Amino acid sequence: MKFSDQLEKRFADLVTHYPVKRSALVPMLLYAQDEVGCISDDVVHEIAERLGLTDLEVRNVVSYYSMLHTRPIGKYNIQVCTNISCMLRGAEQIFDHFRKRLGIGHKQDTPDGLFHLEEVECIGACCWAPALQVNYDFHENLTTEKVDEVLDRYRSRQ
Ligand code: FES
């Protein structure tokens, strides 16, 4: 499998940042996903070979992280935390509001391919609960009004 020259350079640089190559696995998977659109079987195999891992070891990591996907998903991946801190501060209403506004449920995509919605475990933003992540951006202290603003912002970016 062939990655872009830019990604090849990034990979080459990444492995120099860690004492063992396998530590570069998660960032390599994220960068590959950004370029390819998902973690396909080919991506799993290619990265496993580069890091001296088995395909199964890579798949185990892919299945653990909610940021990693084995199939293409909507352009904006909305991950709503419903873990304890967020749940106590209204995360379920936030998630329900997204479901109503987008007309989709957990792990579904809008028909235009713009949004993917997921309910996830803690995203490390408990102090600002309820919180969510859209791709690499965090949105915190959410209210249903803020949800509407978040959706409008990403819709206008298309
Ligand atoms: S519980 Fe939601 S960010 Fe930690």
Side-chain angles (χ1 to χ4, degrees), residues 15-53:
V15 292
T16 67
H17 291 212
Y18 302 97
V20 288
K21 277 198 301 188
R22 68 182 301 149
S23 300
L25 176 58
V26 172
M28 280 177 85
L29 287 167
L30 285 167
Y31 291 140
Q33 177 173 266
D34 287 344
E35 179 165 298
V36 177
C38 68
I39 307 296
S40 64
D41 289 348
D42 287 347
V43 170
V44 166
H45 187 67
E46 184 66 33
I47 290 180
E49 281 211 324
R50 288 168 188 238
L51 297 181
L53 299 167

Side-chain angles (χ1 to χ4, degrees), residues 10-155:
R10 216 166 190 181
F11 283 169
D13 180 54
L14 250 182
V15 292
T16 67
H17 291 212
Y18 302 97
V20 288
K21 277 198 301 188
R22 68 182 301 149
S23 300
L25 176 58
V26 172
M28 280 177 85
L29 287 167
L30 285 167
Y31 291 140
Q33 177 173 266
D34 287 344
E35 179 165 298
V36 177
C38 68
I39 307 296
S40 64
D41 289 348
D42 287 347
V43 170
V44 166
H45 187 67
E46 184 66 33
I47 290 180
E49 281 211 324
R50 288 168 188 238
L51 297 181
L53 299 167
T54 65
D55 287 14
L56 182 61
E57 287 173 312
V58 174
R59 279 183 212 290
N60 286 340
V61 170
V62 172
S63 65
Y64 179 79
Y65 286 100
S66 57
M67 286 284 288
L68 298 169
H69 298 273
T70 54
R71 65 168 180 88
I73 62 168
K75 181 176 179 183
Y76 298 116
N77 182 18
I78 300 169
Q79 299 189 297
V80 182
C81 173
T82 53
N83 215 302
I84 189 72
S85 302
C86 291
M87 184 190 77
L88 291 172
R89 292 184 42 91
E92 285 174 10
Q93 292 95 306
I94 296 296
F95 189 72
D96 275 350
H97 194 66
F98 271 110
R99 284 203 308 203
K100 283 183 197 131
R101 285 290 318 269
L102 296 173
I104 56 174
H106 176 59
K107 293 203 170 188
Q108 293 181 342
D109 302 282
T110 52
D112 61 3
L114 199 57
F115 295 108
H116 177 83
L117 180 64
E118 279 186 33
E119 189 175 353
V120 296
E121 299 297 324
C122 181
I123 56 173
C126 315
C127 292
W128 306 279
L132 66 86
Q133 201 173 347
V134 181
N135 297 353
Y136 295 109
D137 298 329
F138 282 80
H139 301 273
E140 296 129 355
N141 295 309
L142 297 167
T143 60
T144 51
E145 292 76 23
K146 278 193 177 175
V147 165
D148 293 338
E149 285 170 25
V150 166
L151 285 175
D152 289 347
R153 198 175 321 157
Y154 286 97
R155 272 206 180 97

